[in-house]
Amino acid sequence: MEHKDKQHAFQLGVSIFIVLAFLTAPEFLLAVNFPSVPLLVLIALAKAALIGYYYMHIYRLKQAEEGEDRASYAYKTGTARLGLWLFLLSDSFVFGGLLVTRFSLLAMNRPELNQALGLAVTSVLLISSFFMNRAETAMQHGDRKNFLSGTLVTIVLGVAFLLGVVGVEWRTAPFGPGDGAQGAVFYMMTGMHAFHVLTGVLFLLVIFRNGLRNRYTVEKHWAVEAAAVYWHFVDVVWVFFYPALYLIGSVL
Amino acid sequence: MKKILSIGLVRGLVFQMIGTLIGALLVTAVRAAMGLSAFSARTFGFTEPAWVFGGFVGVLAFVYGTRVLDDWIAWARGEDTPEHREDEPGWRKYFSPSLDHKVIGIQYTVTSLLLLSVGGLFALIFRTELAASGLQFLSLKMYNTLMSLHGIIMIVSILLGIAGVMNYLVPLMIGAPDMAFPRLNAFSFWVAPPAAVLLLSSLALGGFDTGWTGYPPLSARAPLGMQMFFLGVWVAGWSSILGALNLIATVLRMRAKGMTAFRMPIFVWAAVATSLIALTATQLIGLSFQLVMFQRLFGMGFFDPAKGGNPILFQHLFWFYSHPAVYVFVLPGLGLISELLPVFVRKPLFGYRWVAMSSLGIALVGFLVWAHHMFTSGMNEYLRVPFMYSTLLVAVPTGVKFFSWVATLWEGKIELPTPMLFTLGAIVAFLMGGLSGPPNAIVATDLHLHDTYFIVGHFHDTMFGGYIFPFFAAIYYWFPKATGRRLNEKLGKWHFWLMTPSFLVLTMGMMRIGLLGMRRRIADYDPALGFDLTHTVLTVAAFLIAISVLIFFYNIYITLRKGEVVTGNVWNSRSPEWQVPSPMPAHNYDRPIEVVGEPYDYSLPDAPYVRFAE
Amino acid sequence: MRHVVIVALFVLTMTFLVYTGLNALNPLPTQAATQAVVVDRMFHLEFIAIAFLFSLITVPLVYSLIVFRRRPGDTGVGRHIEGNIKLELLWTIIPLITVIAFSYMGAQALGDTLRVDPQALQVKVTGFQWAWRFEYPDYGITSNALYLPVNRQVLLRLESPDVIHSFWVPEFRVKQDVVPGRETQLRITPTTIGEYTVRCAELCGVSHAYMRSPVVVVSQEDFDAWVAEKQEESTEATGPDAGRGQKLYETLGCKACHSVDGSEGVGPTWKGLFGSEVELDDGSVVVADEAFLAESIREPGAAIVAGFAEGTMPSYALEESQIADLIAFIESLK
Ligand code: HEA
Ligand code: HEA
Ligand code: CUA
Ligand SMILES: [Cu+2]
């Protein structure tokens, strides 16, 4: 890969996640003051599109350098990458189904939740994606130190998110899972998402450990890319879940 | 003892039992610590959450026990593993994890036939009960459990069967050494046996009485067996999803040189279309079943009207998968028909491209029609008309296939060995099933037909005709490839000529009484309706089918022992796998192949399709 | 070309044979409602299409098998035809038009079955595990059989307290699920006097097979007489009565699980139950007096008899007088 391309990818990643983090704040203010559904959906779409664009970028860059030698690491990585994306496509149907469930059961109502906490965990997760991106880009440059620190920060933020949602929000919410449709929807959506965050954290722990042992190189670090893409995916899901749970509609 | 335990399957089953126990005990301990009731006489000792969690841990333990995860665990540890693994010689390789797609294909196929027998056996049992009105020897609950298990086991059997055929054939047909992800392939297979164990365990855990559709609120009140059903289907769903993922990646990335999209054997197109559905839609049945499981475990009120839930939402989620799923069942079968016809007619498949596109068309339109199962459900009334239009639209690409088949036969030189007989049987049986679809799709007439034996007749014709017939055709056709021996023709013809008429009688009889008012899913019917005679005939037909299947099993047994040895191109096929001697060697083609012609130019004897590199 | 003409003639003959064959079989139940007429018209159109399409595929198939079969000794190949764009377009477009036409007619027919008569008689139907109850709000009566005056539209308002059921009288053709938590509706205009049966068409648990009740279509005069009789009955009904209890036992479906002769069943037998001591699954023992029995019927989950499963017995939305009748019946089973 051209050095310039790498630089470009890195800069793009940084700017996208800064934009994302900043988009969330006005989104929140907007939602609290004028709950306009189309606008919120638009912003959510914008955020997702940004992340999606970033994904595509990496994807294309990678594909270009593969060559035709099927036994090569690059070709195999290309196949694995396709597999991962197919998996994410499949997984997104679960989340889509949950969103359908949420809108079917609650329509234009939303559960009564702690707004400050929601904003906090969302920001934490979006910022974690930024560090994830940093870690991955660092690995592409062969910068192991920054890779490790980036991964570690991502793990810490991921755990903070889990503590925020499962540890605090679940305990302080004024309803339990058995309390009406809102309880069912809220605990199911956050639970399913938290389960994905948890698996993401485990995945990151694995690459962190293997990174410590110096198992990745500039050419061969597919596991790092996979962990990053998975992490971003889990993040995109939350980009849709956050407004669906915290912002859209009026409190039940 | 040690020797037995070295067999993956045995170790898996032992681990599953232990895992289930550990999981259940864990929940029991936690419950005890939290001051909740730890045991319950009503749910067979353990509490329901303990059973469910135990069942889940049992599946994980099974998979771990078979050692399919070993390579991945090594990777997570940062260790490297060898690219290939040599299988044990002889029959033992079929009972342990293997990375060879051909072995996995056969594992799938055999498991599928086994489940087909179990499901068929259940059908025979409850058909015997139905032979006369009144309750003879089954209780109402037992009937419902057997009927529901029959449905779901047959469906799982189909999913495994198509996975088997696709696994075996697709890499060979596109000239690949193996699937894209051999370890994932092994994993997809090895989660299926514990799923089957879970499904069958529901028999011992109180059964369930909801049919294979598991609609709440009924399924939210059913006995414990319900949870095992949900969990089993959920796990089997993962097998299907991961298998589909693997297949798509294989076709996109592993084709031989020159194998462009429109030079692939037509079956590959069908396999891709099927996999697209299985990859995406399957998640929704998993989700819908999960939601009911959680409703039962944690009182979450998704489908409980008393808590603001909506029972109809379940039906939407469920059918969003389960309708496209019927095309998962049938597309590979239709692909096989298109694949085999040209061989035995000695002329090209008529309109290859349009047939290939029709598979994708069926798959895509199939996503837009799910609510035709819910015309009477009380969903929004105005939705029924658009769903009627979209459903009928599927008839168009399906029709393309039928017309192309007929045109393929036209002016050919038709031969009729056993695989061709089953192919033709498939066309006729599936035609009956297909043509009985539009009356269900047209709302006005579905108001009468819904939940009657007409529907039962419809889907046996489509599933049996669209999957079982082609499946048998495929087995007769590729058996020599897999084993180097050819199945006995005479027994094959007995199998066909016994099965086909009995089957047509079975389904036509079902449709007839259905139109006249026979409801489905009932153990006993009103003698005043005058269905006793027809039901007796149906039961006899069912037993004749079973006998024909037994003949088939006997054929396999006798052929494996002393069947005719054939190593060459038995059917004079153009497909690459037949250009090398049978049985297929371990890494498929030792010389890479290159595609240089059209796949189905049977009428141009000198035009090659593939060439082997020097 | 000769082949094509022969096949075309055979297809037409075969279509005719299949269609007349289908009709000769009498494939549909008797028609007893205006909705059935609409639905049957649609059915017959479909039968014609099916007969034609079935012939269109099977005739050339069988014909090819006979005419184009490889003769012994022939080693040749088939004619080289790869496809034919015109033909392929034709067999895409003609079916497309056909299905659109059928969808259109289907939508019209659906509309006809839904046609509203503002004068319709209203009946509130409750489908519960595993029986039907019919309330006539205009007359203040409740019945276990659905009595309908002929040639007058009836609006059935369907409700369920437990699981999904489905209201279906084959002679009326149309069917509608009964969904807990909401009201669904069905309109029927019976046209033929006679006795029919409503059968639950949606699997609703153990005794789904037996969830059926009589539907009686009578003349307007007979209907009025029936209403008057019913109204009298309900004012008369004073004090519990074991005879009525026994009827309820049979019609409500208690029979499916409770025996009256001491034999085993899904639920405990009623023989000798009244006044006996019953052990519950929490270990306590209670006397099966009137209060306990009434409670057990009203809220089956409240106390579970030892050895039986909670959630097996459904909760019926019974009236107090019906419960009293049932208890009187149980009391009579000494
Ligand atoms: C392999 C499985 C399979 C296949 C392929 C199909 C194919 C079709 N099915 Fe079927 N179906 C099932 C399996 C399948 N089905 C099952 C399992 C159920 C019941 C589930 C349950 O409740 O348990 C069911 C139920 C079912 C229902 C719900 C009925 C009810 O419960 O009330 C409906 C309603 O629309 C329907 C319609 C159709 C249609 C229109 C097709 C079409 O795809 C058929 C298309 C084919 C043709 C039409 C024939 C060939 C075409 C031509 C010759 C061209 C010309 C044709 C015309 C112009 C019409 N099916
Ligand atoms: C591929 C799918 C498939 C197949 C092949 C079959 C095959 C058969 N089915 Fe099945 N059926 C379904 C899928 C299938 N079914 C589904 C999905 C339902 C709906 C369930 C629901 O409503 O929820 C259903 C429902 C159903 C009903 C309706 C029940 C009801 O509504 O109450 C009936 C009734 O007759 C029936 C009969 C049969 C018969 C007689 C066969 C015969 O073809 C079976 C022939 C027998 C065999 C193929 C076995 C032969 C093997 C042996 C005899 C060897 C046995 C030995 C050993 C085990 C060692 N089926
Ligand atoms: Cu009520 Cu079936
Ligand atoms: Cu369908």
Side-chain angles (χ1 to χ4, degrees):
Chain A
M1 196 189 320
E2 282 289 310
H3 183 69
K4 234 169 135 190
D5 280 351
K6 279 188 219 155
Q7 208 59 40
H8 183 56
F10 178 74
Q11 281 164 1
L12 189 73
V14 172
S15 36
I16 284 175
F17 286 106
I18 291 175
V19 171
L20 278 176
F22 277 103
L23 263 180
T24 304
E27 182 181 12
F28 172 75
L29 290 175
L30 203 83
V32 175
N33 295 319
F34 347 74
S36 147
V37 182
L39 207 60
L40 291 174
V41 173
L42 211 73
I43 296 181
L45 281 175
K47 292 204 289 191
L50 289 172
I51 298 182
Y53 173 64
Y54 181 63
Y55 281 166
M56 300 268 185
H57 194 83
I58 299 185
Y59 187 37
R60 274 207 305 269
L61 277 178
K62 282 285 155 72
Q63 225 182 12
E65 54 174 335
E66 232 163 55
E68 262 303 301
D69 176 11
R70 298 227 172 151
S72 69
Y73 185 84
Y75 194 85
K76 282 192 185 145
T77 304
T79 309
R81 188 175 293 127
L82 174 68
L84 179 64
W85 282 92
L86 287 173
F87 176 78
L88 297 183
L89 173 70
S90 173
D91 216 17
S92 60
F93 275 70
V94 174
F95 295 112
L98 284 173
L99 282 173
V100 168
T101 307
R102 180 250 176 264
F103 283 102
S104 158
L105 292 182
L106 299 184
M108 277 300 129
N109 297 311
R110 64 180 149 94
E112 190 188 337
L113 295 167
N114 183 342
Q115 287 294 345
L117 189 60
L119 181 64
V121 293
T122 305
S123 310
V124 163
L125 200 62
L126 286 176
I127 293 167
S128 82
S129 250
F130 168 70
F131 283 96
M132 186 72 249
N133 176 251
R134 251 178 76 87
E136 193 203 348
T137 329
M139 198 63 241
Q140 283 170 1
H141 290 263
D143 175 356
R144 196 164 73 97
K145 206 171 130 253
N146 270 326
F147 161 66
L148 287 175
S149 61
T151 310
L152 195 63
V153 175
T154 314
I155 293 172
V156 170
L157 290 175
V159 171
F161 175 83
L162 281 178
L163 287 178
V165 173
V166 179
V168 183
E169 187 76 289
W170 279 22
R171 276 162 189 273
T172 53
F175 48 81
D179 294 335
Q182 63 165 343
V185 164
F186 172 74
Y187 284 91
M188 189 70 204
M189 283 174 73
T190 49
M192 181 66 90
H193 183 262
F195 175 73
H196 279 76
V197 175
L198 183 68
T199 49
V201 168
L202 293 178
F203 198 171
L204 288 177
L205 284 172
V206 168
I207 62 162
F208 182 69
R209 178 171 170 279
N210 285 335
L212 276 179
R213 299 182 172 188
N214 214 352
R215 289 266 147 64
Y216 302 118
T217 62
V218 175
E219 290 79 32
K220 298 195 177 184
H221 59 266
W222 157 243
V224 176
E225 184 192 329
V229 172
Y230 184 73
W231 191 259
H232 293 320
F233 171 73
V234 174
D235 203 357
V236 178
V237 170
W238 189 254
V239 164
F240 285 87
F241 273 25
Y242 171 59
L245 285 173
Y246 286 85
L247 304 181
I248 292 179
S250 46
V251 174
L252 264 179
Chain B
M1 192 59 203
K2 211 163 163 201
K3 197 143 183 203
I4 296 183
L5 275 183
S6 75
I7 300 174
L9 178 64
V10 177
R11 226 171 28 239
L13 289 171
V14 173
F15 270 62
Q16 183 171 18
M17 249 175 316
I18 300 172
T20 308
L21 201 67
I22 293 177
L25 284 174
L26 212 68
V27 174
T28 307
V30 171
R31 284 180 70 95
M34 287 168 65
L36 296 165
S37 67
F39 296 99
S40 159
R42 272 181 287 112
T43 47
F44 308 91
F46 290 121
T47 52
E48 185 164 319
W51 275 112
V52 174
F53 188 70
F56 180 67
V57 175
V59 173
L60 296 182
F62 180 104
V63 180
Y64 179 76
T66 58
R67 302 201 180 136
V68 269
L69 302 177
D70 286 7
D71 277 4
W72 287 339
I73 295 173
W75 294 357
R77 289 225 190 98
E79 294 158 19
D80 283 328
T81 57
E83 182 94 343
H84 297 293
R85 262 164 207 278
E86 287 315 311
D87 291 324
E88 298 170 58
W91 57 271
R92 290 189 47 180
K93 65 171 173 253
Y94 295 107
F95 293 89
S96 291
S98 162
L99 300 185
D100 182 346
H101 75 97
K102 297 186 291 303
V103 175
I104 296 176
I106 289 170
Q107 288 171 329
Y108 266 123
T109 308
V110 171
T111 318
S112 165
L113 285 172
L114 229 104
L115 286 182
L116 182 75
S117 307
V118 176
L121 198 67
F122 289 167
L124 296 183
I125 298 173
F126 73 70
R127 261 297 356 143
T128 310
E129 169 65 55
L130 286 173
S133 52
L135 274 189
Q136 279 83 28
F137 64 98
L138 286 179
S139 67
L140 293 167
K141 204 164 141 194
M142 197 60 198
Y143 177 92
N144 283 347
T145 305
L146 286 177
M147 176 272 293
S148 314
L149 273 177
H150 162 72
I152 197 68
I153 286 186
M154 285 303 196
I155 285 170
V156 173
S157 154
I158 294 193
L159 290 175
L160 299 183
I162 56 166
V165 178
M166 296 195 308
N167 239 297
Y168 192 86
L169 293 180
V170 167
L172 294 184
M173 286 181 162
I174 61 172
D178 206 315
M179 296 285 270
F181 309 112
R183 288 168 192 80
L184 187 67
N185 202 16
F187 178 81
S188 316
F189 170 72
W190 285 100
V191 293
V197 171
L198 277 179
L199 285 176
L200 288 174
S201 75
S202 68
L203 260 182
L205 295 179
F208 61 101
D209 55 6
T210 61
W212 79 280
T213 48
Y215 282 6
L218 186 59
S219 60
R221 312 168 157 220
L224 179 64
M226 196 77 229
Q227 293 281 33
M228 296 300 130
F229 164 84
F230 284 147
L231 197 60
V233 175
W234 187 76
V235 174
W238 276 107
S239 166
S240 185
I241 293 172
L242 297 175
L245 186 161
N246 210 340
L247 192 118
I248 297 177
T250 307
V251 174
L252 288 181
R253 304 280 300 176
M254 312 275 287
R255 284 183 321 244
K257 205 168 155 204
M259 181 74 74
T260 54
F262 287 111
R263 281 183 167 179
M264 297 193 298
I266 196 83
F267 177 72
V268 179
W269 275 101
V272 170
T274 297
S275 300
L276 281 174
I277 302 175
L279 175 74
T280 52
T282 312
Q283 295 284 8
L284 271 295
I285 193 179
L287 179 67
S288 64
F289 281 7
Q290 239 172 318
L291 295 184
V292 188
M293 283 168 80
F294 288 163
Q295 172 163 346
R296 290 178 61 123
L297 290 176
F298 308 120
M300 297 168 92
F302 298 106
F303 311 119
D304 180 355
K307 287 187 172 170
N310 178 0
I312 294 188
L313 173 65
F314 173 89
Q315 300 178 22
H316 282 293
L317 294 175
F318 176 84
W319 288 114
F320 185 82
Y321 163 73
S322 295
H323 179 81
V326 310
Y327 298 117
V328 171
F329 307 156
V330 84
L331 285 173
L334 304 187
L336 287 170
I337 298 176
S338 307
E339 188 68 40
L340 296 192
L341 274 184
V343 180
F344 297 110
V345 180
R346 311 310 298 174
K347 78 192 260 289
L349 176 65
F350 193 96
Y352 168 95
R353 283 175 187 239
W354 211 220
V355 175
M357 286 299 113
S358 71
S359 290
L360 287 185
I362 294 174
L364 295 183
V365 181
F367 271 102
L368 308 175
V369 308
W370 74 91
H372 66 212
H373 296 271
M374 303 163 55
F375 285 154
T376 69
S377 71
M379 65 171 183
N380 288 341
E381 290 208 350
Y382 57 83
L383 279 180
R384 300 193 283 191
V385 171
F387 275 104
M388 163 164 63
Y389 275 91
S390 60
T391 303
L392 282 172
L393 215 57
V394 185
V396 176
T398 319
V400 167
K401 287 190 189 288
F402 275 96
F403 296 124
S404 300
W405 293 333
V406 170
T408 306
L409 286 169
W410 197 251
E411 296 197 46
K413 295 272 184 193
I414 303 172
E415 291 159 41
L416 288 177
T418 313
M420 180 63 170
L421 285 179
F422 277 97
T423 308
L424 294 171
I427 296 181
V428 174
F430 182 63
L431 178 66
M432 309 244 319
L435 289 178
S436 58
N440 313 335
I442 293 170
V443 184
T445 43
D446 186 58
L447 295 182
H448 180 59
L449 297 175
H450 176 69
D451 271 335
T452 64
Y453 263 63
F454 187 87
I455 307 293
V456 177
H458 158 71
F459 67 70
H460 281 86
D461 262 339
T462 47
M463 298 210 272
F464 207 112
Y467 163 71
I468 303 270
F469 271 94
F471 186 52
F472 281 135
I475 293 179
Y476 280 99
Y477 185 84
W478 277 285
F479 197 82
K481 189 79 251 165
T483 63
R485 286 174 191 270
R486 177 182 177 155
L487 284 168
N488 184 307
E489 272 292 298
K490 202 155 165 201
L491 287 174
K493 297 221 156 108
W494 270 100
H495 174 193
F496 177 79
W497 287 112
L498 191 57
M499 186 170 102
T500 310
S502 322
F503 171 72
L504 292 178
V505 167
L506 178 74
T507 52
M508 283 199 276
M510 284 173 169
M511 289 192 204
R512 174 170 162 73
I513 53 176
L515 273 171
L516 287 173
M518 174 75 196
R519 295 172 286 159
R520 56 190 287 207
R521 294 168 170 174
I522 55 177
D524 182 13
Y525 44 92
D526 193 348
L529 292 167
F531 295 150
D532 281 62
L533 179 65
T534 320
H535 268 299
T536 314
V537 172
L538 296 188
T539 304
V540 173
F543 274 93
L544 291 179
I545 298 175
I547 292 173
S548 76
V549 175
L550 286 178
I551 295 179
F552 167 74
F553 285 145
Y554 174 70
N555 195 353
I556 291 197
Y557 169 75
I558 200 98
T559 304
L560 284 178
R561 297 200 56 190
K562 46 183 186 208
E564 179 195 345
V565 176
V566 285
T567 55
N569 190 346
V570 190
W571 316 106
N572 200 2
S573 161
R574 290 169 60 83
S575 197
E577 78 273 16
W578 288 103
Q579 313 310 320
V580 296
S582 313
M584 207 69 194
H587 299 293
N588 299 350
Y589 305 98
D590 43 9
R591 287 176 298 163
I593 64 175
E594 186 184 342
V595 176
V596 294
E598 300 298 323
Y600 296 111
D601 280 347
Y602 281 99
S603 45
L604 305 176
D606 300 325
Y609 173 37
V610 293
R611 205 168 50 204
F612 288 86
E614 289 312 317
Chain C
M1 207 54 221
R2 189 173 55 99
H3 290 309
V4 177
V5 175
I6 300 176
V7 165
L9 289 176
F10 272 129
V11 167
L12 292 179
T13 326
M14 178 89 172
T15 306
F16 178 73
L17 288 178
V18 172
Y19 181 64
T20 33
L22 268 177
N23 272 341
L25 273 174
N26 257 341
L28 291 164
T30 44
Q31 270 179 3
T34 47
Q35 286 76 10
V37 179
V38 176
V39 170
D40 285 2
R41 199 157 40 212
M42 207 58 225
F43 263 125
H44 279 277
L45 287 174
E46 290 166 13
F47 288 161
I48 295 174
I50 289 175
F52 174 68
L53 289 168
F54 181 75
S55 314
L56 188 65
I57 303 290
T58 51
V59 167
L61 188 132
V62 174
Y63 186 85
S64 306
L65 286 186
I66 296 167
V67 176
F68 304 123
R69 180 106 179 247
R70 184 183 295 277
R71 309 277 167 239
D74 182 353
T75 54
V77 294
R79 212 176 113 196
H80 186 75
I81 316 170
E82 286 183 350
N84 180 329
I85 302 281
K86 272 196 210 132
L87 213 55
E88 286 165 41
L89 279 181
L90 202 69
W91 66 48
T92 309
I93 290 170
I94 293 185
L96 185 65
I97 296 173
T98 317
V99 297
I100 291 176
F102 265 91
S103 304
Y104 180 75
M105 291 187 291
Q108 297 282 312
L110 175 66
D112 285 346
T113 65
L114 296 176
R115 188 154 295 156
V116 175
D117 178 351
Q119 304 289 299
L121 169 72
Q122 291 206 8
V123 181
K124 193 170 157 242
V125 180
T126 312
F128 53 94
Q129 282 175 324
W130 289 279
W132 300 94
R133 194 175 54 237
F134 307 98
E135 268 177 72
Y136 294 73
D138 299 349
Y139 306 107
I141 54 177
T142 302
S143 158
N144 292 322
L146 178 62
Y147 272 73
L148 296 176
V150 73
N151 289 332
R152 173 165 173 207
Q153 189 177 73
V154 54
L155 168 62
L156 302 174
R157 291 166 41 212
L158 307 151
E159 274 175 20
S160 159
D162 40 47
V163 302
I164 304 175
H165 306 274
S166 191
F167 183 98
W168 185 41
V169 180
E171 288 80 0
F172 299 159
R173 300 294 186 273
V174 286
K175 179 183 289 133
Q176 176 61 54
D177 284 6
V178 188
V179 186
R182 66 175 69 188
E183 181 189 288
T184 51
Q185 298 191 339
L186 186 62
R187 288 177 187 273
I188 291 167
T189 316
T191 52
T192 316
I193 291 177
E195 293 200 17
Y196 311 96
T197 309
V198 48
R199 300 168 200 279
C200 173
E202 179 69 47
L203 179 53
C204 51
V206 178
S207 294
H208 159 65
Y210 299 121
M211 183 165 163
R212 52 191 180 212
S213 299
V215 174
V216 188
V217 177
V218 291
S219 64
Q220 186 66 46
E221 301 85 71
D222 289 353
F223 181 74
D224 293 338
W226 175 78
V227 169
E229 190 188 327
K230 265 279 169 187
Q231 279 167 336
E232 211 165 299
E233 211 176 85
S234 59
T235 46
E236 247 172 43
T238 46
D241 171 35
R244 276 201 311 268
Q246 179 163 15
K247 273 225 182 82
L248 287 172
Y249 167 72
E250 281 155 11
T251 53
L252 289 180
C254 320
K255 201 178 171 183
C257 303
H258 297 283
S259 78
V260 290
D261 57 3
S263 60
E264 273 184 39
V266 179
T269 182
W270 286 357
K271 189 177 163 70
L273 170 62
F274 193 87
S276 70
E277 292 196 336
V278 177
E279 197 190 328
L280 301 182
D281 75 341
D282 57 9
S284 62
V285 175
V286 291
V287 176
D289 53 11
E290 230 164 89
F292 169 77
L293 292 177
E295 177 72 10
S296 296
I297 299 172
R298 234 177 267 132
E299 229 184 291
I304 306 300
V305 182
F308 293 92
E310 181 180 355
T312 313
M313 170 156 163
S315 65
Y316 295 81
L318 296 185
E319 281 154 33
E320 286 310 311
S321 68
Q322 289 175 307
I323 295 181
D325 291 343
L326 278 163
I327 293 175
F329 173 57
I330 297 176
E331 192 176 355
S332 72
L333 299 165
K334 277 283 148 61

